[in-house]
Amino acid sequence: MSTALAAGSGFDFTLAQQLTVIALCALTAFIAHLALAVFNDGVRPFLLDFIQGRTTRSATTAVSFGLSAGFIFGLGAPMALSTGVLNPWLLFLPTDVLGMLAPKKWLAPLLGGVWGAVVVFGLNGANDIAHDLPVDFLTAMQQMSTPILFLFTLFPVLAITKQFGRGWGAAAGAIEVALVVLTMKLWPNMFAGALAMAVGVLMLIGLAVSQDLRQRRADRSAGKVDEVAADDPMASLFSASAARLRRYLPLFMVLGGGVCVLAQMHVFGGGEATSFLIAKGQYAEAAQVDFYRVFGFVPLIATTALASGAYGIAGFTLVYPIGYLLPNPVLAAVVGALVFAVEVLALSWIGRALGKLPSVRDSSEHLRSAIGDTLQLAILFGSLMAANAMGGGLGILVVGGLYLFNDVAGRPVVRMAAAPAAVIVGGILLNLLYWLDLFTPVKG
């Protein structure tokens, strides 16, 4: 399968795309201001104290910025610049912060809209400047696509191994590798990991459901029954949070429609691997990848939403793959709104169902962990490939050194974002060395 990105990887947005990004950033900032939803899963649990008045807006903003800054500048911006495709870390993490920062309701959408304008009007200029440099680190960063796409394929294997042991993991790994080889041989224009990931995720779900069913049969045989305490404080909290979110159902429907429209326009990718697939024009494969990610995040998003009273900006992220596949923005707006309505109305039921399926719930944890592990290795390896492309051994020394320094310095930039950030900083340093006549670029 070719891993070359579309020529230029530029940001030639149409007027409709520009207005959609600006309006969606304004809306997400407003929703974050109301503490109804944020994109950062790590911030959501802190919102309950803010909603109930036990902490201040400024303190919550500081938490949001601290947990988001590394992803914005270390992952969101580099991924967008290297692929020519927008991503949620670049759009929605800043609007989380800006929405919480705004002291007034009217100011939140204004700040969000300004950020959207900065993105759609500023990225192309930054992209052009970077490509005109003697050391073109953005083109070099396209080297990241191959390791990200192929190593990401293995996340179901890691999840199966963690939950069900080495035997099942080895079997899943052998099956996935065989399917990748088969796909490359028979369907060379198809993303080679698509079929392998599908089988891997289905194996994981099948093993988890089978384990839960066996456990329930064993419990019934032993005379055990499901018991829920009538005065369970968590049940009461979950009920109040679900009711709070349902009160704002029309606003969530507008949000769902907006995110789905953005995905339908094919200028946005919901994940690292997805961004590269969208850039290649492989929308069906991108939809497949983001659909599998849903299984890893539904339990997390549902439980944190029910515990905190704040939902996810992208919901369960189902609107991403749906949007990629829909034929026009009008249909995407309608379908996205309906998907969000179903998600919000079903939250309480999903919470109860997850309580009865502990192995499935555990699978979600293992999937998220496996996705992080595979992407962390892929992004690091891809960043070193980019470093080699732009500076050879010196590039690897600079980029690898920055990554290691960040690690031993207490990780001021989160590990997953540290490597792409190091490529950009390393690229700037190599350009400085070139202008000092101390370095000759590998290419150009």
Side-chain angles (χ1 to χ4, degrees), residues 1-2 150 178-196 282 285:
M1 182 194 73
S2 172
F150 280 87
L179 289 171
V180 168
V181 172
L182 184 68
T183 302
M184 294 176 76
K185 183 69 175 176
L186 299 179
W187 306 288
N189 294 324
M190 176 181 173
F191 169 45
L195 184 58
Q282 295 178 311
E285 287 87 345

Side-chain angles (χ1 to χ4, degrees), residues 229 233 242 260 280 291 320 331 359:
C260 197
K280 299 172 197 296
F291 179 72
Y320 293 164
L331 184 59
S359 294

